[in-house]
Amino acid sequence: AQSVTQLDSQVPVFEEAPVELRCNYSSSVSVYLFWYVQYPNQGLQLLLKYLSGSTLVKGINGFEAEFNKSQTSFHLRKPSVHISDTAEYFCAVSDREAGGTSYGKLTFGQGTILTVHP
Amino acid sequence: GAVVSQHPSRVICKSGTSVKIECRSLDFQATTMFWYRQFPKQSLMLMATSNEGSKATYEQGVEKDKFLINHASLTLSTLTVTSAHPEDSSFYICSARRGGGSEAFFGQGTRLTVV
């Protein structure tokens, strides 16, 4: 079984300030890790993903995340946020064992609402 | 590439009626599709996993007779909410994974309101 915990339900920040959205996970198997963004009444857009290789992953819109296996974390960061980054962000994990029926099935965290103030 | 289209984006139906939601992979063949439900101010919860040509696998607590899932082709899966009630009002999102791929791509979601 897998679980994802996003430690902050809401993060307010001023424009051009840095931001970190925290995500911890637990799993009995190896996982892939994802961050998605959701704008109001819309589906999910992939920001970035960690599959293998370098633990620092760069995504779209200037976001990056670092996979820390020892701390089972995958925190999302951006050095300078914009008003347009206001949205809800979801951390997710999926089973990386190919061929299983659950492959590609995502377990989501509770979401973090990022509000960027002018 | 990897576009998933979900239709309709919004639907309002009367209590007791059935509603069908379509999820299409437009430019790839989706061997597996997933259906999620998102209640207001909550996260996405997986409802079921469907593999083309076989019966869907439902998550614990999801009524398979109420939420009928059909994945008849490699590009189309449908979710039918039967005898809908107001508590079924939610945001339903599908995702599709191509064979051998590590990532599932999401549709735009369907806002269902049962009155």
Side-chain angles (χ1 to χ4, degrees):
Chain A
Q2 301 163 344
S3 67
V4 179
T5 302
Q6 291 181 239
L7 297 161
D8 306 294
S9 60
Q10 298 193 52
V11 173
V13 66
F14 286 107
E15 193 173 19
E16 298 184 4
V19 70
E20 178 180 82
L21 306 184
R22 296 179 293 169
C23 172
N24 286 90
Y25 71 93
S26 66
S27 176
S28 57
V29 299
S30 298
V31 296
Y32 294 126
L33 296 153
F34 305 84
W35 274 99
Y36 289 88
V37 60
Q38 184 181 34
Y39 298 100
N41 294 312
Q42 294 187 29
L44 276 72
Q45 181 181 6
L46 180 67
L47 278 177
L48 48 78
K49 60 186 176 184
Y50 172 77
L51 305 181
S52 64
S54 172
T55 57
L56 182 62
V57 180
K58 293 188 183 297
I60 63 171
N61 300 342
F63 284 93
E64 64 180 32
E66 186 158 19
F67 169 53
N68 188 318
K69 188 174 182 179
S70 63
Q71 297 187 5
T72 60
S73 68
F74 191 55
H75 301 332
L76 181 70
R77 302 185 184 97
K78 185 169 183 178
S80 176
V81 295
H82 300 138
I83 298 288
S84 59
D85 292 324
T86 294
E88 188 160 19
Y89 293 79
F90 291 96
C91 180
V93 301
S94 74
D95 186 345
R96 69 183 296 153
E97 293 179 2
T101 56
S102 63
Y103 193 58
K105 162 184 164 180
L106 288 167
T107 300
F108 286 88
Q110 305 90 325
T112 298
I113 297 174
L114 173 65
T115 304
V116 181
H117 298 283
Chain B
V3 177
V4 176
S5 177
Q6 197 171 330
H7 178 80
S9 58
R10 291 177 179 270
V11 58
I12 300 173
C13 70
K14 291 185 177 180
S15 187
T17 62
S18 296
V19 174
K20 180 183 285 188
I21 303 170
E22 292 187 347
C23 179
R24 293 181 183 272
S25 55
L26 298 185
D27 52 3
F28 67 100
Q29 293 186 329
T31 55
T32 307
M33 288 187 170
F34 305 89
W35 287 95
Y36 295 85
R37 181 168 54 186
Q38 185 182 30
F39 290 109
K41 301 188 185 300
Q42 294 187 29
S43 188
L44 288 82
M45 299 298 293
L46 181 69
M47 298 175 67
T49 303
S50 72
N51 292 290
E52 186 266 339
S54 61
K55 290 184 177 180
T57 302
Y58 290 80
E59 296 298 303
Q60 191 172 7
V62 178
E63 300 174 60
K64 61 181 179 181
D65 294 331
K66 180 170 185 62
F67 298 100
L68 301 179
I69 292 172
N70 184 284
H71 191 168
S73 78
L74 284 171
T75 59
L76 174 65
S77 175
T78 60
L79 167 66
T80 301
V81 183
T82 63
S83 187
H85 289 98
E87 56 265 31
D88 299 323
S89 298
S90 187
F91 194 56
Y92 293 86
I93 308 177
C94 71
S95 69
R97 184 180 70 82
R98 69 179 99 206
S102 59
E103 179 184 351
F105 301 91
F106 283 84
Q108 310 94 314
T110 297
R111 173 74 61 193
L112 170 63
T113 303
V114 185
V115 298

